[in-house]
Amino acid sequence: MYSIGPKKILEKRQTFLMPATAHFYRQPPQIVSGSMQYLYDQTGKQYVDFFAGVSVMNCGHSNPEIFATAQKQLTSLQHTSTIYLTQPIVDLAEKLAELLPGELKKTFFCVTGSEANEGALSLARLYTKKKGFIALSGGLHGRTHLAMSVTGIPMWRLDDQLVDDQIYFVDRPHNLEIAEIASMATSLAQLEQTLEEHGENIAAMILEPIQGNGGIIRYPKGFLKRVHQLLKEHNVLLIVDEVQTGYGRTGKFFAVEHEGVTPDILVTAKALGNGIPISTFSTTDQIATAFNRPSASTFGANPVAAETALRVLDYIAKHDLVQRAYQLGQYLKGALWSINSPLIKDIRGIGLMLGVEIQALNTKISAADLTDDILEEMKVRGFLIGKNGLDRNVLAFQPPLVIEREDIDQMLAALTKVLASKEAELACK
Ligand code: PMP
């Protein structure tokens, strides 16, 4: 079945896929199978997956407990859309109502993160009868019209002609060159000014509780609470995009719980289906009333996706993956700091959502190229690390939450060696 090999696949990608289809690595591996925290290429080489398909596979690849459920559902009832009554979708919505913070009790199901954000943004417009949005620089919310419009990473906004014109960006409170407090004050001042000037026309502010693609950015303590207060004063809703952070990754079930903030609308995707596409936006009974015309997502929480998601939620609880993410994250973060390499500029994040910002020691190589070198060498040693950040110089550690401490230790030993050899190479270049 997998007979053509990586070279031919790259050629076919170039011929038949749109050039926009992104990939990592100068020589991307061909992945043919997965098992929990491991991926395997066509030669049988094993990799420890430290990126989990961008925070998707929280319960691990081809987890037998989860795929058995999907398989069973496939053989009984695969799909009907919401036009008939089926049980899995309502059981899942009920379970989410238990798990979501505050009074977020009503959920709409879709398929992708972009689609769920698009729905959340549209709902905010319907409810507030206002049109504009505020977003943070460095945020990523998807590829559809509104979701891309509120995306604050230039490389993920295809073209300014394609985006909505009523979007106001505020600088994210993160600037390594100045103190956290000063950085937060600048963002909040910008937000206040935007609300003063345009609040009457702004429906919602959207943000990730911890930025993923923006480089694993956690805001200073108190930022989200203050943002929410300011928004409320101007009747502007808060939409939180938990597409990467949701379902235990950061050591809380939802990342907003770290800050004690309950948004008006909360969006999830990725990890809920552990590889089967499903996404959600959830809100209060009151806001949900604004979404009152018949609306269907053909595949949103179809029986296979909803049954799988129910099993994912059981699995996370049964194996205490939230606590596990927190503890392994603490361990990994501490160990990353103790590598103590001059190539590391910063280490940040929480739980199993950690970022290591790489800096170049001299002008012979850019930080982005150095990051690619490190990724490539870690791949050869059997570890697939992620990469993100506005300058593409942040190593991202977002493994399946079922990863073992021994995998982490082996990765750390390899990373220590790779960084030391890069330092030596740069020093003598
Ligand atoms: N929001 C966030 C925070 C994301 O990381 C992503 C995708 N990486 C999206 C939204 C878009 O999700 P999708 O690719 O499923 O449309």
Side-chain angles (χ1 to χ4, degrees):
M1 185 165 132
Y2 300 111
S3 57
I4 63 174
K7 204 165 153 253
K8 192 81 192 154
I9 292 180
L10 267 180
E11 272 172 38
K12 279 205 189 194
R13 278 177 74 115
Q14 273 155 14
T15 314
F16 299 112
L17 296 184
M18 299 257 181
T21 313
H23 66 73
F24 277 12
Y25 293 105
R26 295 182 187 123
Q27 293 177 322
Q30 179 186 354
I31 302 300
V32 297
S33 65
S35 170
M36 302 305 275
Q37 66 271 41
Y38 304 117
L39 290 171
Y40 298 88
D41 72 11
Q42 80 290 357
T43 68
K45 181 178 165 77
Q46 175 180 285
Y47 301 89
V48 187
D49 178 10
F50 270 87
F51 206 35
V54 201
S55 288
V56 175
M57 309 304 292
N58 281 10
C59 301
H61 296 277
S62 298
N63 181 320
E65 286 186 41
I66 292 167
F67 83 64
T69 301
Q71 224 167 16
K72 189 158 162 255
Q73 187 59 47
L74 271 169
T75 55
S76 60
L77 175 68
Q78 197 175 352
H79 180 67
T80 66
S81 172
T82 49
I83 52 179
Y84 306 121
L85 303 185
T86 53
Q87 188 175 333
I89 188 171
V90 290
D91 286 350
L92 179 59
E94 185 179 20
K95 186 81 198 154
L96 287 174
E98 254 171 52
L99 293 165
L100 284 159
E103 293 305 307
L104 304 179
K105 302 286 181 208
K106 286 244 178 0
T107 293
F108 192 89
F109 290 99
C110 349
V111 179
T112 65
S114 303
E115 188 191 357
N117 277 327
E118 196 77 15
L121 292 160
S122 306
L123 172 60
R125 280 188 171 170
L126 288 169
Y127 181 71
T128 61
K129 302 190 169 49
K130 301 193 272 182
K131 285 204 95 170
F133 295 114
I134 303 177
L136 286 182
S137 65
L140 182 141
H141 303 289
R143 285 168 293 97
T144 51
H145 179 71
L146 291 176
M148 190 194 290
S149 302
V150 292
T151 286
I153 304 181
M155 76 171 276
W156 297 116
R157 285 163 67 86
L158 284 183
D159 189 310
D160 280 344
Q161 280 178 23
L162 296 177
V163 298
D164 216 75
D165 56 3
Q166 299 188 49
I167 315 291
Y168 305 92
F169 282 99
V170 165
D171 286 340
R172 64 187 187 183
H174 174 83
N175 178 346
L176 286 178
E177 314 311 323
I178 60 174
E180 244 190 15
I181 296 290
S183 176
M184 169 153 127
T186 310
S187 298
L188 289 172
Q190 283 180 11
L191 177 62
E192 278 193 79
Q193 194 185 343
T194 308
L195 287 167
E196 292 296 326
E197 286 172 17
H198 308 282
E200 285 198 348
N201 181 38
I202 292 174
M205 176 167 184
I206 184 166
L207 50 81
E208 296 158 87
I210 297 171
Q211 288 186 344
N213 281 268
I216 316 290
I217 305 296
R218 202 173 168 206
Y219 318 124
K221 192 96 203 133
F223 176 73
L224 279 188
K225 265 219 162 102
R226 183 70 188 129
V227 163
H228 202 195
Q229 253 169 11
L230 289 171
L231 297 179
K232 277 188 200 153
E233 286 165 20
H234 291 266
N235 295 319
V236 172
L237 301 185
L238 174 62
I239 302 173
V240 167
D241 174 347
E242 292 251 12
V243 168
Q244 277 205 39
T245 51
Y247 305 106
R249 170 141 309 275
T250 70
K252 293 276 187 198
F253 203 84
F254 293 110
V256 281
E257 294 166 28
H258 290 291
E259 306 299 323
V261 168
T262 300
D264 301 291
I265 307 175
L266 190 146
V267 178
T268 79
K270 297 191 190 279
L272 178 58
N274 206 61
I276 302 281
I278 181 167
S279 62
T280 65
F281 57 99
S282 305
T283 191
T284 60
D285 287 343
Q286 192 189 347
I287 296 173
T289 56
F291 203 42
N292 58 4
R293 304 248 175 103
S295 186
S297 158
T298 303
F299 285 113
N302 80 356
V304 176
E307 271 299 324
T308 306
L310 279 163
R311 183 46 68 93
V312 165
L313 298 176
D314 283 351
Y315 191 92
I316 292 173
K318 183 170 144 198
H319 297 271
D320 210 1
L321 292 190
V322 181
Q323 191 55 17
R324 188 183 171 86
Y326 181 75
Q327 282 166 350
L328 287 176
Q330 290 284 89
Y331 175 71
L332 173 55
K333 195 172 182 184
L336 286 166
W337 274 118
S338 61
I339 293 179
N340 207 10
S341 163
L343 298 179
I344 296 181
K345 182 170 182 190
D346 190 28
I347 298 173
R348 49 192 185 241
I350 187 162
L352 287 174
M353 184 161 181
L354 299 176
V356 171
E357 184 165 337
I358 296 297
Q359 62 185 351
L361 291 180
N362 50 45
T363 53
K364 288 171 194 151
I365 182 168
S366 71
D369 283 339
L370 190 53
T371 305
D372 278 338
D373 284 354
I374 297 167
L375 281 190
E376 218 56 58
E377 292 191 21
M378 288 299 285
K379 180 197 72 184
V380 171
R381 288 170 154 79
F383 302 94
L384 299 178
I385 316 287
K387 170 179 81 162
N388 56 35
L390 302 188
D391 298 322
R392 310 301 286 156
N393 65 332
V394 179
L395 299 172
F397 297 87
Q398 297 165 255
L401 311 185
V402 295
I403 195 161
E404 299 288 345
R405 195 154 150 167
E406 297 81 77
D407 301 310
I408 292 179
D409 287 338
Q410 284 164 12
M411 184 282 292
L412 286 163
L415 185 63
T416 307
K417 281 197 192 122
V418 168
L419 289 173
S421 81
K422 281 281 138 202
E423 278 162 40
E425 202 182 296
L426 286 174
C428 44
K429 259 190 187 169

